[in-house]
Amino acid sequence: MNYTEKVMDHFMHPRNVGKLEKYNAVGEVGNASCGDIIKLYVLIDSDNIIQDISFQTFGCGAAIATSSMTTEMVKGKHIDEALNVTKDQVAEELGGLPANKMHCSNLAADALHKAISDYKAKNGIK
Amino acid sequence: MNYTEKVMDHFMHPRNVGKLEKYNAVGEVGNASCGDIIKLYVLIDSDNIIQDISFQTFGCGAAIATSSMTTEMVKGKHIDEALNVTKDQVAEELGGLPANKMHCSNLAADALHKAISDYKAKNGIK
Amino acid sequence: MEKRIYLDNSATTPVRPEVLEAIYPFLKELGGNPSSRHKEGRLVKAAFEKARDSVATAINAESKEVIFTSCATEGNNTVLKGYLSGLRSRTGKNHIITTAVEHPSVLSTARELEKKGTEVTFLPVDKFGRLNLDMLRSSIKENTGLISVMMVNNETGNIYPVKEIAKIAAEKGVLFHIDAVQAIGKIPVDVKDIGCDFLTLTAHKFYGLKGSGALYVKWGKWASPLITGGHQERNRRAGTENVVGAVGLGKAIELAVKEQSEESARLKKLRDHLEKRILEEVPYTRVVGDPGGRASFISNISFRFVEGEAILLKLDYDGIAVSTGSACSSGNLEPSHVISAMKVDPEEAHSSIRFSLGRSTTAEDIDYTVERVKETISQLRSFSPVYDKFLLENEKKSAWRV
Amino acid sequence: MEKRIYLDNSATTPVRPEVLEAIYPFLKELGGNPSSRHKEGRLVKAAFEKARDSVATAINAESKEVIFTSCATEGNNTVLKGYLSGLRSRTGKNHIITTAVEHPSVLSTARELEKKGTEVTFLPVDKFGRLNLDMLRSSIKENTGLISVMMVNNETGNIYPVKEIAKIAAEKGVLFHIDAVQAIGKIPVDVKDIGCDFLTLTAHKFYGLKGSGALYVKWGKWASPLITGGHQERNRRAGTENVVGAVGLGKAIELAVKEQSEESARLKKLRDHLEKRILEEVPYTRVVGDPGGRASFISNISFRFVEGEAILLKLDYDGIAVSTGSACSSGNLEPSHVISAMKVDPEEAHSSIRFSLGRSTTAEDIDYTVERVKETISQLRSFSPVYDKFLLENEKKSAWRV
Ligand SMILES: Cc1ncc(COP(=O)(O)O)c(C=O)c1O
Ligand SMILES: Cc1ncc(COP(=O)(O)O)c(C=O)c1O
């Protein structure tokens, strides 16, 4: 049940942390009873590029590290491209996750999907 | 399940061991399947005093030590007095015996009873 | 290893030097089997039985009432399974009573028995983790065979009133088992004074070796063994004796009991200082447990808005070892069953950290720990969505009030 | 301690220096709980899992197939009880086959299961202690769930044809458990090559610590644990891990397997020399066991007309440690169940002595032992009533012949 160095790095030095000053999309998933809540703040420009992104996470080391990694992976990407980023890719980028953390704590991609689909709905993008 | 020093002394240096040159009473008890066979050779004089006594024993340390001690305890005694020597007394003289050796391996008194009663029967003593 | 502060003494403790010294001859040259009749066996047997005497003395039992086991988990299994199968077949009694806050070695075992047809009552606790003795009394039925309650809880430090429970059990003719794992060396444990029938302990909670424990069984109360085979331990636990473990246990318990009152007082001061500072200096924290009765070496503190594992890992990085819940349930993602049983809400249940002090703990350790805790909590809260929401709601509330 | 010659390596072995060296750090400073998430835990976990790898490598298993236990007795209990209760409830299979010469940890456990309604076949052996494989095959029935046969007998050294048995078991779809306690380090043990489902071993038979063993369970064949509680050992054996024991086991088995062929050859020479001299120089003696297939470190010799314990005690006094039967049945006055199963007559069964050689055994030890044996036997026979009778009968016979 140990974390890889990469996980520990993202956990100890999370990237894109906190709440953006300016954002136009938000996605939140998880709940306290399962122990993980992840909220993404996304600034999407008129070309549908993710200009900036940040996260807030209540959760274990894996939850924080996957949040951090996900933001890094999608920043600067077109939203449709960003939607292709999967949990497995996030875990892979982190050098792997303990089996029992694979699904419960790897929620940032879900949060991103939520943020983007809300954004799309609000802005009439299909 | 340890033996006392006294037991070990009688086991390592058994007294009155072997078969008397001359004897007029014999008692044998035990059998191979229980692991102990004790045979006493007794020389009883005309005053019914145990002039001499010796033993042969197939058995464990306790069987050998109790045989040795019993012969010591009854040598020179009148046969009726000798019959009063109990297994418990033998064990006590030896400083005690492990519980599971108390009955199975402490057979010399029985052998003595057998020897003396045979002797009495043969010689018409009541 | 860099300087570390080990505050996880409820999970396990390192072997103390006196124990190492006591076992060393049995690692170095005395390698006989205590059941062997020759000198190599007898030498080892003597030390092994001396260790049994030490355990007996420490808990005020008789030596023949002490059975060496491989750990308290085995001891608890032996009582619950072995005892019950014996009792059931003799008397038909098939109901046991335990609590919702027991260690998994009792709790999972009771659940397993339940699946196989035993009736089990799991007594609830209140928000401080306390039992209701009236409820305990009234849950005893005609077919109740056994009550099993721990003495000191491994997550909160709560002390349970085993003497009162023993009295109730005795009145009702029910056998009483105590898991005293976290009590040895922390509070006095006297089986005669308590009046229990079974009591389990494990060496590694008081500086003995892991893999070595003991089970007290009141003379005459033995039922049937969990592990059968050779004649060891008066036919109550088969298997070649763990000589090193038992000799270490004997030495460890002797010292633990001798030093108990002084060491408990020392740790209480340190623990109280830790709690006072954290509660004062870190907002939105509270102690989880019974304010009226906790063993003095454990502190379970909830840090709202942040998750326990994250705190654990950050402190670990700073050189401080703490835990979330019990070590044996790590790998489990559920919040602690003990904290949950105290009706703590799920978010807070995920936020609790157990600090457990021990022989190595110093006042400097505590102050350093507080500093690191403050920093860690404020860092983690800085990006906690729960904390953010809480602040916003508070702002709104204040806005309304204006 | 004065110079001693230890010829009871089947009962137990002392800890070897390499093992002491391997465990020392875990006694001295590395005291964490392998289930803990912090550094103290992770360091210990790593060593613990490395030990598991060593065990797996030694028997050609995968690491996840190795469960650490407190001893082989626990392992045997786990397979027989845990397995059977799981299998019975799933498939209704309720018949097991074992042999009359198993260790008590299998035999008594099987007898206990029998009392509780399991059908048990105890296969007999011939006068050399050999099994009849046709009989084994024909005793397999529709409801046979498990066959349990040891690899090397602890009293005679007999090697049982586990590979053939595995084949039969596989053909018939029956699970196969091997007690390999006396085989590790003595003959090659390769679970894949053999094709067994379960295999038990215990560290103290090959210079590891008492109180530490391992159970191999083929992946996919797990049924249910004997000891329940925390999540240790993939939920297959609860209880805080015996780190010192496991690390010692890992090192011990690694060395035992590495040195096996050379050491077995060395001991075979010594053992054969011992037997040759005793059989030639002490009349009325014979080797008890299978002339065609014995492990090379055990010699069980019967010395007619004298009783085993008496021999043991006298040799002990002379500085030589041997045994009568297994250590765990000492305190038992019955002749060995193994020897009895070989239809040896009771008097001779009481007369047998097990010499078991090990790392410390030298050629000088053997020669000294033979001298002391000669002296001891002739002393004890000098006042044996059985010997006396035998001599008299022989005299009579010769007299007739004249
Ligand atoms: C063949 C055999 N099986 C099982 C055991 C049991 O081992 P332990 O006593 O370590 O449980 C032994 C030795 O005691 C043995 O010789
Ligand atoms: C209260 C309590 N009971 C039982 C146990 C089990 O002890 P072990 O893991 O040594 O079997 C523990 C600790 O692990 C405990 O804290």
Side-chain angles (χ1 to χ4, degrees):
Chain A
M1 248 286 281
N2 288 344
Y3 289 139
T4 63
E5 266 182 47
K6 202 87 172 259
V7 171
M8 285 308 292
D9 178 42
H10 274 265
F11 166 68
M12 292 304 296
H13 314 285
R15 283 61 145 173
N16 309 311
V17 85
K19 196 195 298 196
L20 290 181
E21 287 279 304
K22 250 184 77 186
Y23 55 86
N24 50 14
V26 174
E28 181 174 344
V29 294
N31 61 64
S33 73
C34 78
D36 291 301
I37 301 175
I38 291 167
K39 191 168 183 180
L40 292 184
Y41 299 84
V42 195
L43 179 63
I44 300 168
D45 69 12
S46 52
D47 295 333
N48 290 334
I49 303 292
I50 295 176
Q51 277 296 336
D52 209 351
I53 183 166
S54 75
F55 75 92
Q56 288 178 325
T57 291
F58 167 91
C60 63
I64 292 170
T66 52
S67 301
S68 166
M69 177 54 88
T70 305
T71 59
E72 286 247 78
M73 287 169 75
V74 302
K75 201 196 273 191
K77 281 205 165 72
H78 187 280
I79 55 174
D80 289 337
E81 219 183 325
L83 287 176
N84 288 332
V85 171
T86 65
K87 293 179 183 191
D88 284 352
Q89 285 169 350
V90 175
E92 204 175 300
E93 279 295 311
L94 286 167
L97 282 177
N100 62 352
K101 298 282 184 176
M102 201 55 205
H103 294 287
C104 334
S105 308
N106 191 352
L107 296 173
D110 293 344
L112 185 73
H113 276 249
K114 216 159 170 186
I116 292 177
S117 65
D118 279 10
Y119 177 82
K120 281 182 164 180
K122 242 183 351 203
N123 295 279
I125 307 169
K126 262 178 281 175
Chain B
M1 248 286 281
N2 288 343
Y3 289 139
T4 62
E5 266 183 48
K6 201 88 173 259
V7 171
M8 284 308 292
D9 177 42
H10 274 266
F11 167 67
M12 292 302 298
H13 312 287
R15 282 61 144 175
N16 308 310
V17 85
K19 195 196 297 198
L20 291 180
E21 288 279 302
K22 249 182 80 186
Y23 53 88
N24 50 14
V26 174
E28 181 174 343
V29 294
N31 61 65
S33 73
C34 78
D36 291 301
I37 301 175
I38 290 168
K39 190 167 181 180
L40 292 183
Y41 298 85
V42 196
L43 179 65
I44 300 168
D45 70 11
S46 52
D47 296 331
N48 292 333
I49 303 293
I50 297 176
Q51 276 295 337
D52 208 352
I53 181 166
S54 74
F55 76 91
Q56 287 179 325
T57 291
F58 167 91
C60 63
I64 292 170
T66 52
S67 302
S68 166
M69 177 56 88
T70 305
T71 59
E72 285 243 69
M73 286 170 75
V74 302
K75 200 195 275 193
K77 281 206 166 73
H78 186 279
I79 53 174
D80 289 336
E81 219 185 324
L83 287 175
N84 288 332
V85 170
T86 65
K87 293 179 183 193
D88 284 353
Q89 285 169 349
V90 173
E92 203 174 302
E93 279 295 310
L94 285 166
L97 282 177
N100 61 353
K101 297 283 184 174
M102 201 55 206
H103 294 289
C104 334
S105 308
N106 191 351
L107 296 174
D110 293 344
L112 184 71
H113 277 249
K114 216 160 167 184
I116 293 178
S117 64
D118 277 9
Y119 177 81
K120 281 182 165 183
K122 237 181 355 198
N123 295 279
I125 306 171
K126 261 178 283 179
Chain C
M1 203 147 111
E2 85 275 37
K3 156 84 177 151
R4 299 276 304 173
I5 295 175
Y6 186 71
L7 295 176
D8 200 11
N9 291 281
S10 287
T12 194
T13 54
V15 173
R16 61 189 291 176
E18 301 92 330
V19 168
L20 176 50
E21 199 182 312
I23 65 174
Y24 198 73
F26 301 89
L27 293 166
K28 195 68 187 167
E29 51 182 6
L30 295 173
N33 186 322
S35 297
S36 293
R37 298 294 312 282
H38 45 62
K39 183 170 181 178
E40 282 79 354
R42 292 194 308 269
L43 283 171
V44 167
K45 176 81 168 179
F48 188 71
E49 292 304 325
K50 194 166 152 268
R52 192 192 308 281
D53 296 343
S54 299
V55 175
T57 304
I59 59 171
N60 194 24
E62 285 165 53
S63 293
K64 65 184 178 186
E65 295 174 322
V66 172
I67 302 167
F68 284 114
T69 62
S70 71
C71 59
T73 297
E74 183 197 317
N76 290 340
N77 273 259
T78 302
V79 174
L80 267 70
K81 294 179 185 166
Y83 169 71
L84 210 79
S85 79
L87 194 77
R88 194 169 38 213
S89 65
R90 278 204 325 279
T91 65
K93 291 191 176 188
N94 194 26
H95 173 234
I96 69 180
I97 299 173
T98 185
T99 82
V101 295
E102 297 303 309
H103 185 267
S105 51
V106 167
L107 217 49
S108 315
T109 304
R111 285 211 200 90
E112 211 195 282
L113 288 172
E114 207 177 19
K115 270 192 232 146
K116 293 189 180 157
T118 294
E119 201 184 330
V120 185
T121 300
F122 296 96
L123 294 172
V125 294
D126 68 13
K127 65 176 178 161
F128 299 111
R130 294 178 304 205
L131 285 174
N132 179 330
L133 291 191
D134 289 334
M135 197 182 272
L136 184 150
R137 192 191 298 270
S138 65
S139 60
I140 299 176
K141 309 189 295 181
E142 274 300 307
N143 69 336
T144 306
L146 180 73
I147 298 172
S148 177
V149 177
M150 70 201 325
M151 196 154 175
V152 172
N153 185 275
N154 51 307
E155 296 195 31
T156 58
N158 276 8
I159 298 174
Y160 290 98
V162 290
K163 197 167 168 177
E164 283 71 31
I165 298 173
K167 214 169 285 162
I168 299 172
E171 271 168 31
K172 304 268 191 172
V174 177
L175 291 169
F176 180 37
H177 165 242
I178 297 174
D179 174 345
V181 164
Q182 299 284 349
I184 302 288
K186 310 310 187 325
I187 57 175
V189 177
D190 178 326
V191 293
K192 291 222 174 70
D193 179 58
I194 296 168
C196 59
D197 301 289
F198 309 102
L199 184 137
T200 38
L201 54 90
T202 193
H204 70 96
K205 306 288 185 182
F206 45 88
Y207 311 98
L209 277 81
K210 293 176 245 306
S212 168
L215 165 61
Y216 159 80
V217 179
K218 193 169 175 171
W219 193 245
K221 295 299 167 77
W222 177 250
S224 77
L226 184 67
I227 298 179
T228 47
H231 294 302
Q232 294 91 351
E233 300 290 307
R234 295 172 180 257
N235 293 312
R236 293 172 300 180
R237 203 289 189 182
T240 301
E241 299 87 342
N242 180 348
V243 173
V244 164
V247 168
L249 170 53
K251 176 53 78 180
I253 201 167
E254 179 192 315
L255 295 171
V257 166
K258 194 170 87 184
E259 299 167 359
Q260 186 260 308
S261 86
E262 206 173 317
E263 179 68 359
S264 295
R266 188 183 80 85
L267 294 184
K268 184 170 189 326
K269 264 197 212 136
L270 295 175
R271 199 268 319 260
D272 290 349
H273 181 64
L274 172 81
E275 290 187 349
K276 186 165 181 290
R277 281 202 60 191
I278 289 185
L279 265 54
E280 281 176 9
E281 300 175 35
V282 188
Y284 312 116
T285 51
R286 73 173 180 99
V287 172
V288 181
D290 180 4
R294 279 187 303 147
S296 61
F297 71 112
I298 293 189
S299 184
N300 195 309
I301 299 182
S302 76
F303 296 90
R304 283 184 62 193
F305 318 125
V306 292
E307 198 269 347
E309 192 207 84
I311 307 172
L312 181 155
L313 291 174
K314 280 213 178 275
L315 292 180
D316 182 44
Y317 189 85
D318 290 336
I320 301 165
V322 299
S323 74
T324 61
S326 65
C328 63
S329 61
S330 88
N332 192 335
L333 304 177
E334 306 283 301
S336 144
H337 70 278
V338 173
I339 312 289
S340 299
M342 294 162 74
K343 286 135 206 139
V344 170
D345 83 77
E347 182 229 301
E348 192 183 348
H350 275 290
S351 301
S352 93
I353 286 288
R354 176 181 71 178
F355 302 87
S356 49
L357 288 55
R359 293 180 68 238
S360 66
T361 313
T362 65
E364 293 72 53
D365 288 355
I366 296 299
D367 284 318
Y368 180 76
T369 299
V370 172
E371 293 308 326
R372 299 317 310 154
V373 165
K374 280 163 68 176
E375 172 69 21
T376 292
I377 299 302
S378 90
Q379 259 184 38
L380 289 171
R381 279 183 184 161
S382 76
F383 60 88
S384 163
V386 191
Y387 188 52
D388 192 42
K389 190 180 283 169
F390 172 83
L391 291 180
L392 286 173
E393 275 163 15
N394 264 11
E395 252 170 49
K396 272 190 219 148
K397 275 188 218 150
S398 341
W400 281 347
R401 261 181 245 131
V402 173
Chain D
M1 202 146 110
E2 85 275 37
K3 158 84 178 151
R4 299 275 305 172
I5 295 175
Y6 186 71
L7 295 175
D8 199 10
N9 291 281
S10 286
T12 194
T13 54
V15 174
R16 61 189 288 174
E18 301 92 329
V19 168
L20 176 50
E21 200 182 309
I23 65 174
Y24 199 73
F26 301 89
L27 293 166
K28 193 70 187 168
E29 50 181 5
L30 296 173
N33 186 323
S35 295
S36 293
R37 298 293 313 280
H38 45 61
K39 184 169 182 177
E40 282 80 355
R42 291 193 307 270
L43 284 172
V44 167
K45 176 81 168 180
F48 188 71
E49 292 305 326
K50 196 166 151 270
R52 192 191 309 281
D53 297 342
S54 299
V55 175
T57 303
I59 60 171
N60 195 22
E62 286 165 51
S63 293
K64 65 184 178 188
E65 296 175 320
V66 172
I67 303 167
F68 284 114
T69 62
S70 70
C71 58
T73 297
E74 183 196 317
N76 290 340
N77 273 257
T78 301
V79 174
L80 268 68
K81 293 179 186 167
Y83 169 72
L84 209 81
S85 79
L87 194 79
R88 192 169 39 213
S89 66
R90 280 203 326 279
T91 65
K93 291 191 176 187
N94 194 27
H95 173 234
I96 68 182
I97 299 172
T98 185
T99 82
V101 296
E102 297 302 309
H103 185 266
S105 51
V106 167
L107 217 49
S108 314
T109 304
R111 285 213 199 90
E112 210 193 285
L113 289 171
E114 207 177 20
K115 270 192 233 146
K116 293 188 178 156
T118 294
E119 201 182 331
V120 185
T121 300
F122 297 95
L123 294 172
V125 294
D126 67 12
K127 65 176 177 162
F128 299 111
R130 294 177 305 205
L131 285 173
N132 179 330
L133 291 191
D134 289 334
M135 197 183 272
L136 185 149
R137 191 190 298 269
S138 66
S139 59
I140 298 176
K141 307 188 296 179
E142 274 299 307
N143 70 335
T144 306
L146 181 72
I147 298 172
S148 177
V149 177
M150 70 200 326
M151 196 154 174
V152 172
N153 185 275
N154 51 308
E155 297 195 31
T156 58
N158 276 8
I159 298 174
Y160 290 98
V162 289
K163 199 168 168 177
E164 283 71 31
I165 299 173
K167 214 169 289 164
I168 298 173
E171 271 168 31
K172 304 267 189 172
V174 177
L175 293 168
F176 180 38
H177 165 242
I178 297 175
D179 175 344
V181 164
Q182 299 284 349
I184 303 289
K186 311 310 186 325
I187 57 174
V189 177
D190 177 325
V191 293
K192 293 223 174 69
D193 178 57
I194 296 169
C196 58
D197 300 289
F198 310 101
L199 183 138
T200 39
L201 54 91
T202 194
H204 71 95
K205 306 289 186 182
F206 44 89
Y207 312 97
L209 277 80
K210 290 174 249 303
S212 169
L215 165 61
Y216 159 81
V217 178
K218 193 168 175 172
W219 193 243
K221 294 299 168 79
W222 178 249
S224 79
L226 184 68
I227 298 180
T228 47
H231 295 299
Q232 294 92 349
E233 301 290 310
R234 297 172 179 256
N235 293 313
R236 293 172 299 180
R237 202 288 191 182
T240 301
E241 298 87 342
N242 181 349
V243 173
V244 164
V247 168
L249 171 54
K251 177 51 79 179
I253 200 167
E254 179 191 316
L255 295 172
V257 167
K258 195 170 85 184
E259 300 168 358
Q260 186 260 307
S261 86
E262 204 172 319
E263 178 69 357
S264 296
R266 188 183 79 88
L267 294 185
K268 182 168 190 326
K269 262 196 215 138
L270 294 176
R271 199 267 319 258
D272 290 348
H273 181 65
L274 173 80
E275 290 186 350
K276 185 163 182 289
R277 282 203 59 192
I278 289 185
L279 265 52
E280 281 176 11
E281 300 176 35
V282 187
Y284 312 117
T285 52
R286 73 174 181 100
V287 172
V288 180
D290 181 3
R294 280 187 302 147
S296 62
F297 70 113
I298 293 190
S299 183
N300 195 308
I301 299 182
S302 76
F303 297 91
R304 281 184 66 192
F305 318 124
V306 293
E307 198 271 346
E309 191 207 84
I311 306 172
L312 181 157
L313 291 174
K314 279 209 179 278
L315 290 180
D316 182 45
Y317 190 85
D318 290 335
I320 301 164
V322 299
S323 74
T324 61
S326 66
C328 63
S329 61
S330 87
N332 194 336
L333 304 179
E334 306 284 300
S336 144
H337 70 279
V338 174
I339 311 289
S340 298
M342 294 162 74
K343 287 135 205 137
V344 170
D345 84 78
E347 182 228 300
E348 192 183 347
H350 276 290
S351 300
S352 92
I353 286 288
R354 177 181 71 181
F355 302 86
S356 49
L357 286 56
R359 294 180 67 239
S360 66
T361 313
T362 65
E364 293 73 53
D365 288 355
I366 296 298
D367 283 319
Y368 180 75
T369 299
V370 172
E371 293 307 325
R372 298 318 308 154
V373 165
K374 280 164 67 175
E375 172 69 21
T376 292
I377 300 301
S378 90
Q379 258 183 37
L380 289 172
R381 281 183 182 161
S382 75
F383 59 88
S384 163
V386 190
Y387 188 52
D388 191 42
K389 191 181 282 169
F390 173 82
L391 292 181
L392 285 174
E393 275 163 16
N394 264 13
E395 253 171 52
K396 270 189 223 149
K397 276 187 219 154
S398 341
W400 281 349
R401 264 182 242 133
V402 174

